Amino acid sequence: MVKTIKGIAASDGIATAEAYLLVQPDLSFTKKSISDADAEISRLKDAISTSDDELTKIRDIAKESLGEEEAQVFDAHKAILADPEFTGAVEQEVKDQKVNVEQALHDVSENFISIFEGMTDNPYMQERAADVRDVTKRVMAHLLGVDLPNPALIDHEVVIVAHDLTPSDTAQLNKKYVKGFVTDIGGRTAHSAIMARSLELPAVVGTDTITKDVKAGDTVIIDGLSGAAIVDPSDEDIKKYQQKAKDFAEEKAEWEKLKDEATVTADGKHFDIAANIGTPDDLQGVIENGAEGIGLYRTEFLYMQSESLPTEEDQFKAYKKVLEGMKGKAVVVRTMDIGGDKHLPYLPLPEEMNPFLGYRAIRISLDRQEIFRTQLRALLRASAFGTLRIMFPMIGTLQEFRDAKKVFEEEKAKLVKDGVEVSDDIQLGMMMEVPAAAVLADQFAKEVDFFSIGTNDLIQYTMAADRGNEHVSYLYQPYNPSILRLIKHVIDSAHKEGKWAGMCGEAAGDNTMVPLLLSMGLDEYSMSATSVLRVRSLMKKLSTKDLATLADRAVNESITNEDNKKLVDEYVNKK
Ligand code: PEP
Ligand code: MG
């Protein structure tokens, strides 16, 4: 029976394929006393041998489809299975405690995990805790006779159905076979959603129930344009969505014609549309989509894809590649924004009740200055190869900006003294994503070179609504007059001091937001590369003259998010 499940449209496009459930099975068991230890040990040996065969297969496929580095984790898992210290301890536990092997495996692995996790001065060993946890899960699944999902083994076209996808899950999806994804939880600005857009994978998030509504192998249509998943579609549905996919492809082909054009409104005003990137590999998409610069380089991905803190040299190479690739166009690099939902296995952070309000971004950089200084040195050295701008994430107070700038100046002076070539024209700016800073934008504007408004966080902090929580997504209101007042204040404050203001949050590429931002005079719009041409096409149709009074009305007359959606619609469809 056809079922339509509504969710949040997270990444444009339509995908139809068989469902692959990326859902963890129930691995619970009961503790039992046993009399025949040998029989239990032989069950363990069978489960280990099946797990090992499976890991060999997964490793080989992962090596081919995802690369050597991604495949290495499976070798680490095989090594644990082959380690007599681990497997021997489980056997001994069965004999000594006379318990079933599930219980013995659980107890021994918990013991190993807590020893590894306790090695706080050895991040490499701490990371092994996650490997033990993963291997234990695999062996346990075989003991219990249940199937574990193995996304690396996918060898035909599928859409992924999951409760949630972490940024690292998303990074491991093989785009050749994975045509899209749909999840129970998450919002449009969760990092998995942002990544789906950069991979051009249609995605719907926050459906609440999709993992219960779909069985493995069901046909699912993902409508990333309007935010719905259609389970078990009729022939008619399939036809309808084929048409929708065709229309979307045609629209995209129209946008593509604007690739080499400047972004100019109907009344001849030029604005910069830049792209957001996570790694130097994203450059290709930036160039293909004709972006006029990079407005946000999220450098934390460099840290997330590395096994240990990236060295100054590694970072220098990555930054240089991006700057050279952009051939003199401006590149705004954001210093590391770890914390919140982005973690580094080798840099354990404290357990926090509210990670998004906790130890993250510039707060870590100012506290762990050796990490920050390495990054700034790499950036300074790379500055000789293009037009570099640097911004700091999560600045909340002027003191934080001053402290970060001081560290930057110190590292710059050291390099200059050592005769290293460094650009003397690096603009230093900040993300405007903490409401306290936005309220005081007039004071910040005197000291920064530019602002880049991070609406993803600015909205969540202003509305006190977690950006990834679908239960409060109704409060995630980009056009709420409170948000628009903050944005307008930031832009006006920058302009009063002769500085520029950009936006790199997802709202910069939103069709309803763009007319509001044009009316406020925002200078630079930075978004997923795949949105650049759509927004360029939209701007071509808009005239700043027609929009002149829109912003004032939106912040002074409107009361709700909905009021402003209607207001924008009135202005845009006036003619
Ligand atoms: C933002 O908060 O708007 C932003 C661009 O940063 P991130 O999404 O990486 O938090
Ligand atoms: Mg942010």
Side-chain angles (χ1 to χ4, degrees), residues 212-381:
K212 296 196 187 78
D213 297 319
V214 174
K215 290 189 304 313
D218 281 351
T219 300
V220 176
I221 299 175
I222 293 183
D223 177 359
L225 296 168
S226 59
I230 297 89
V231 185
D232 214 355
S234 63
D235 290 348
E236 214 172 298
D237 291 324
I238 292 182
K239 241 190 243 145
K240 182 176 128 196
Y241 279 94
Q242 273 168 349
Q243 185 59 42
K244 197 166 175 180
K246 194 164 157 255
D247 293 346
F248 181 60
E250 278 169 13
E251 203 174 13
K252 264 173 91 173
E254 277 304 305
W255 298 338
E256 257 152 46
K257 294 183 188 151
L258 303 175
K259 181 176 167 282
D260 300 317
E261 287 191 20
T263 307
V264 183
T265 59
D267 57 332
K269 294 264 171 12
H270 176 261
F271 293 90
D272 277 333
I273 301 191
N276 295 347
I277 65 166
T279 75
D281 295 342
D282 296 339
L283 261 182
Q284 197 188 340
V286 174
I287 292 161
E288 276 169 15
N289 286 287
E292 290 157 291
I294 289 175
L296 168 64
Y297 176 1
R298 289 183 165 95
T299 56
E300 54 275 12
F301 286 98
L302 196 70
Y303 292 72
M304 288 162 72
Q305 287 165 357
S306 176
E307 298 266 305
S308 54
L309 280 169
T311 61
E312 182 182 317
E313 202 52 34
D314 287 345
Q315 296 194 50
F316 166 69
K317 280 192 200 134
Y319 305 148
K320 176 169 176 269
K321 188 169 172 193
V322 172
L323 282 159
E324 283 182 339
M326 289 308 287
K327 301 197 169 70
K329 288 182 183 158
V331 175
V332 181
V333 179
R334 177 175 76 183
T335 59
M336 179 188 89
D337 184 3
I338 288 297
D341 63 348
K342 290 177 278 196
H343 295 281
L344 301 179
Y346 53 85
L347 186 77
L349 299 177
E351 275 286 319
E352 296 180 308
M353 293 283 280
N354 291 302
F356 274 108
L357 299 181
Y359 188 61
R360 69 173 277 208
I362 197 68
R363 302 166 184 188
I364 300 181
S365 294
L366 290 174
D367 185 42
R368 301 281 305 264
Q369 286 198 12
E370 70 290 359
I371 301 176
F372 192 38
R373 286 179 191 272
T374 304
Q375 178 165 38
L376 289 173
R377 288 173 69 83
L379 281 167
L380 279 156
R381 286 173 51 204

Side-chain angles (χ1 to χ4, degrees), residues 14-22 150-161 172-182 201-202 214-222:
I14 309 280
T16 305
E18 186 181 294
Y20 183 91
L21 261 79
L22 194 53
N150 289 311
L153 292 182
I154 296 172
D155 59 359
H156 58 285
E157 292 195 353
V158 296
V159 296
I160 299 280
V161 175
Q172 280 179 38
L173 300 179
N174 182 346
K175 211 190 144 190
K176 186 166 158 209
Y177 298 124
V178 174
K179 296 293 150 197
F181 66 77
V182 49
L201 278 182
V214 174
K215 290 189 304 313
D218 281 351
T219 300
V220 176
I221 299 175
I222 293 183

Side-chain angles (χ1 to χ4, degrees), residues 360-417:
R360 69 173 277 208
I362 197 68
R363 302 166 184 188
I364 300 181
S365 294
L366 290 174
D367 185 42
R368 301 281 305 264
Q369 286 198 12
E370 70 290 359
I371 301 176
F372 192 38
R373 286 179 191 272
T374 304
Q375 178 165 38
L376 289 173
R377 288 173 69 83
L379 281 167
L380 279 156
R381 286 173 51 204
S383 69
F385 298 89
T387 307
L388 173 67
R389 295 170 179 166
I390 298 176
M391 65 177 170
F392 306 119
M394 285 287 287
I395 294 283
T397 68
L398 205 44
Q399 193 58 47
E400 283 175 327
F401 181 77
R402 287 178 181 159
D403 290 347
K405 182 169 175 178
K406 184 161 166 276
V407 177
F408 170 82
E409 296 295 355
E410 284 169 9
E411 290 308 319
K412 183 173 169 190
K414 277 191 232 164
L415 285 169
V416 170
K417 190 160 162 263

Side-chain angles (χ1 to χ4, degrees), residues 189 191 194 276 296 298 300-301 334 337 342 356 360 431-433 453-458 467 476 504-506:
T189 60
H191 288 98
I194 293 172
N276 295 347
L296 168 64
R298 289 183 165 95
E300 54 275 12
F301 286 98
R334 177 175 76 183
D337 184 3
K342 290 177 278 196
F356 274 108
R360 69 173 277 208
M431 294 279 295
M432 262 301 178
E433 53 186 345
I453 306 171
T455 45
N456 304 344
D457 280 318
L458 185 65
R467 64 197 256 188
Y476 200 88
C504 59
E506 292 304 306

